[in-house]
Amino acid sequence: MTLPIKIGLTGGIGCGKTTVLQHFQQMGVPCFVADTVAATYYDDPLFVEEVVRLMGSQVLKADGTVDKKAIANMVFSDRALLLQLNALVHPRVMEDFQQWCSRQQAPYVLFESAIIYEYHLDRFLDKIIVVYLEKEERIQRLLLRDHATREMLEARMRNQLSAEEKLDRGDYVILNYEGNPRQRQVSYVDQAITNTIPSA
């Protein structure tokens, strides 16, 4: 088994992946956040050219920079366009992830993305952690956090696998309910992963 072990961290929108990720980071686990890396691509003129070719000049602001809100509005109402945009993004993300992994010294690393299963990124990973929270509680959290309408949130959720399907497919699960000790669950999963890694 080649080190570091590549562990995916996923879950439906609003399930609390970021908070779980922070617990792993505090324990010293190197973490690669796919959305953060992908956001940097919009500073690359060649990538922006590809996006404009796909989506049209309406995704550009008057100063020539990308209007990410316009892109979000377009793809969340057009699944085919979302798939095409992600086909531009994901190969770059996974290439950057592999290069990043080669520089890490830890026994395992985390790759965080909401859409690991949707775009078959799990084939690049050894195991998957799923953060789970049932739909209604996620919606209530997102209504407070994003100030979006319920209809908008449900449209975004329809672009992902159901939380229950992700739960069934995960190798490890963190139940992110209030009152359910999150740090204890993270420590348990960390130990479970560590126990699968052969000693040198």
Side-chain angles (χ1 to χ4, degrees), residues 62-81:
D63 63 1
T65 60
V66 171
D67 186 341
K68 293 179 184 175
K69 183 173 279 190
I71 290 177
N73 289 338
M74 290 174 69
V75 298
F76 283 123
S77 60
D78 187 335
R79 180 162 175 76
L81 190 60

Side-chain angles (χ1 to χ4, degrees), residues 177-194:
Y177 295 104
E178 292 300 326
N180 200 21
R182 189 166 43 229
Q183 180 64 64
R184 188 185 304 167
Q185 293 183 77
V186 169
S187 296
Y188 176 84
V189 170
D190 169 75
Q191 189 60 54
I193 293 169
T194 302

Side-chain angles (χ1 to χ4, degrees), residues 6-155:
K6 301 176 183 71
I7 306 293
L9 178 69
T10 195
I13 179 176
C15 70
K17 292 186 303 300
T18 300
T19 306
V20 170
L21 185 83
Q22 288 168 350
H23 284 301
F24 279 102
Q25 287 174 321
Q26 288 164 7
M27 296 168 66
V29 178
C31 298
F32 184 100
V33 181
D35 279 353
T36 301
V37 173
T40 67
Y41 299 159
Y42 292 95
D43 297 325
D44 176 357
L46 293 178
F47 180 77
V48 172
E49 277 184 27
E50 292 185 70
V51 172
V52 171
R53 200 174 300 128
L54 173 65
M55 306 182 77
S57 59
Q58 65 265 36
V59 299
L60 295 178
K61 298 179 183 177
D63 63 1
T65 60
V66 171
D67 186 341
K68 293 179 184 175
K69 183 173 279 190
I71 290 177
N73 289 338
M74 290 174 69
V75 298
F76 283 123
S77 60
D78 187 335
R79 180 162 175 76
L81 190 60
L82 176 63
L83 290 170
Q84 290 175 288
L85 178 62
N86 281 328
L88 293 179
V89 173
H90 289 145
R92 294 170 187 255
V93 168
M94 297 317 297
E95 184 177 340
D96 285 342
F97 174 61
Q98 299 294 356
Q99 292 178 2
W100 175 84
C101 281
S102 70
R103 300 192 297 270
Q104 306 308 311
Q105 301 299 316
Y108 76 92
V109 299
L110 286 188
F111 173 88
E112 188 272 322
S113 172
I115 50 177
I116 286 174
Y117 289 124
E118 288 83 346
Y119 291 92
H120 310 294
L121 305 181
D122 48 317
R123 70 185 188 273
F124 299 105
L125 303 165
D126 297 300
K127 298 285 184 181
I128 309 291
I129 303 166
V130 173
V131 183
Y132 177 80
L133 189 64
E134 62 91 24
K135 180 180 176 180
E136 189 56 37
E137 190 164 346
R138 289 159 54 210
I139 287 176
Q140 293 306 316
R141 286 186 181 185
L142 289 166
L143 287 171
L144 292 172
R145 188 190 80 184
D146 293 358
H147 306 294
T149 66
R150 187 183 185 97
E151 291 73 21
M152 289 170 64
L153 294 173
E154 290 190 343

